Amino acid sequence: RKEVEQDPGPFNVPEGATVAFNCTYSNSASQSFFWYRQDCRKEPKLLMSVYSSGNEDGRFTAQLNRASQYISLLIRDSKLSDSATYLCVVNSELSFGAGTTVTVRA
Amino acid sequence: ETGVTQSPTHLIKTRGQQVTLRCSSQSGHNTVSWYQQALGQGPQFIFQYYREEENGRGNFPPRFSGLQFPNYSSELNVNALELDDSALYLCASSLSDSTDTQYFGPGTRLTVL
C-alpha cells in the first residue's frame, strides 16, 4: 500500500460548484499535513496546512480525520482559476500523493 | 515567489552521462529536500539535507547523491543516467525539519536521451 493515496480524478465541475476530495495516509503516527496546488509543468505551491481541528482559508476548507487516516480539501464557489492538480503531503514522511486533477469549466 | 532558485531550468543529457543540479534555499532556511517528479506522478522524495548532513533518504539508488554547503545551498548529482531519470527535479527549502512547510523552487526539467 502506498503511503499517501489520492483519487486522481479528474473532477470536472462548473463554475460556482463545490468540489471535495480526499487523501488517505498509511502511517497513523503522521503529524503534519499540507495541501499544495500544482499548475501544469510548474512547481507545487503551498495552498494550506491542515490542522487537527480543521481550517478554512477563504473558499478552501481542509479537514483531518485521524481515526480514518485521511485529509480532505473542499473548494466552494469554484473559479476557473482553481483548475489545477492538488497534491496532499504527509510532511513527516515527506510523502506526496500523486495528485487530484480539478478542472473548472465556464 | 518562494525565493528558492534552481539551475539550470532545462537540461538534455544522454544515457550514461552525469548531471549536477543546483538549488539555493530561501533566506533563513537550513533544510533542503530534493524530489523527482515524473510526468503524471506526484513528487518522489530523494533525500533531505539539514545543516550540511543528509537527514533522510527515499528509495533511490546510490548513483543519486547530494551535498549541502555552509550557505545551505545544495546540489543533486546523478551518475550513469538512465532514460527513466527523465523528470522534473524539484528542491524545497524549509526552516528546519520535515514537519515544517516546504517551499519549492521552479524545478529543473531533465531529459535523458
Side-chain angles (χ1 to χ4, degrees):
Chain A
R1 181 183 173 187
K2 289 185 182 177
E3 291 180 15
V4 180
E5 295 201 52
Q6 293 185 248
D7 183 341
F11 288 80
N12 293 304
V13 300
E15 268 188 297
T18 295
V19 60
F21 40 88
N22 295 338
C23 168
T24 59
Y25 60 94
S26 60
N27 185 350
S28 59
S30 297
Q31 292 296 320
S32 59
F33 308 88
F34 298 84
W35 283 104
Y36 282 77
R37 169 202 170 115
Q38 187 172 30
D39 295 296
C40 189
R41 302 179 73 83
K42 298 282 192 181
E43 75 273 23
K45 293 186 189 291
L46 179 68
L47 182 65
M48 58 198 302
S49 307
V50 184
Y51 301 130
S52 297
S53 55
N55 47 300
E56 272 189 28
D57 184 359
R59 299 180 292 107
F60 297 84
T61 300
Q63 297 276 359
L64 168 62
N65 185 317
R66 284 200 182 275
S68 300
Q69 294 182 212
Y70 72 87
I71 62 173
S72 63
L73 182 67
L74 182 146
I75 308 173
R76 282 185 301 278
D77 188 23
S78 299
K79 312 290 184 193
L80 295 176
S81 57
D82 294 334
S83 297
T85 297
Y86 292 85
L87 299 164
C88 68
V89 56
V90 179
N91 231 37
S92 39
E93 283 80 51
L94 297 171
S95 296
F96 278 79
T100 297
T101 300
V102 173
T103 303
V104 182
R105 61 182 189 276
Chain B
E1 298 303 325
T2 64
V4 181
T5 61
Q6 291 187 244
S7 64
T9 54
H10 295 85
L11 202 52
I12 299 175
K13 292 284 189 179
T14 56
R15 273 188 310 174
Q17 285 190 308
Q18 178 266 342
V19 69
T20 297
L21 311 181
R22 295 179 175 83
C23 171
S24 291
S25 58
Q26 189 178 115
S27 178
H29 286 186
N30 54 27
T31 302
V32 172
S33 303
W34 285 92
Y35 294 85
Q36 179 195 68
Q37 187 175 25
L39 204 58
Q41 303 294 318
Q44 298 295 310
F45 173 62
I46 303 175
F47 42 57
Q48 182 183 78
Y49 279 85
Y50 171 67
R51 292 183 181 271
E52 303 179 59
E53 298 286 333
E54 189 177 289
N55 187 42
R57 190 180 179 92
N59 190 27
F60 279 81
R63 59 190 185 84
F64 286 78
S65 63
L67 281 174
Q68 189 178 32
F69 299 99
N71 65 355
Y72 303 130
S73 66
S74 178
E75 284 182 358
L76 164 65
N77 299 290
V78 187
N79 293 322
L81 284 167
E82 301 176 0
L83 297 179
D84 285 349
D85 295 333
S86 295
L88 179 67
Y89 288 84
L90 296 160
C91 82
S93 78
S94 55
L95 190 56
S96 59
D97 64 14
S98 60
T99 59
D100 277 330
T101 305
Q102 298 182 77
Y103 297 92
F104 284 85
T108 294
R109 190 162 298 280
L110 172 66
T111 302
V112 182
L113 302 175

